[in-house]
Amino acid sequence: MGTAARDRLAQLAAEHGTTIRSLVEELAQSTPTQAEYAERAELARAELASALGSAPSPEAEAKARALLERLGAAGHGPRAAA
């Protein structure tokens, strides 16, 4: 880890009243893995299919993903998920 990154983590930790270790642990626990994102996408598809009678088409999913990216909501998840 570079000095700039370490200094930034130290500043963030101080601002949150915690330690770098706790800050990193919180990030690790709160950030889904690729597999967890894929599992959530499958669960969402199943819920939509149950509610709508069919799952969204790949085209509808692509449009929704593009809209989320434009809105900035998908910036934290993997681009290839779902």
Side-chain angles (χ1 to χ4, degrees), residues 5-72:
R6 188 173 41 253
D7 290 348
R8 181 164 175 83
L9 282 171
Q11 180 181 357
L12 289 169
E15 290 175 1
H16 287 88
T18 189
T19 64
I20 291 175
R21 175 178 291 232
S22 293
L23 193 67
V24 171
E25 286 175 356
E26 181 182 323
L27 175 66
Q29 292 301 318
S30 66
T31 305
T33 63
Q34 297 274 335
E36 290 166 337
Y37 274 116
E39 182 179 346
R40 289 177 183 185
E42 285 304 315
L43 289 172
R45 278 190 201 92
E47 287 183 28
L48 283 171
S50 176
L52 301 174
S54 66
S57 68
E59 294 80 15
E61 284 191 40
K63 285 181 183 179
R65 189 174 297 112
L67 176 61
L68 287 173
E69 287 176 359
R70 283 197 310 271
L71 296 174

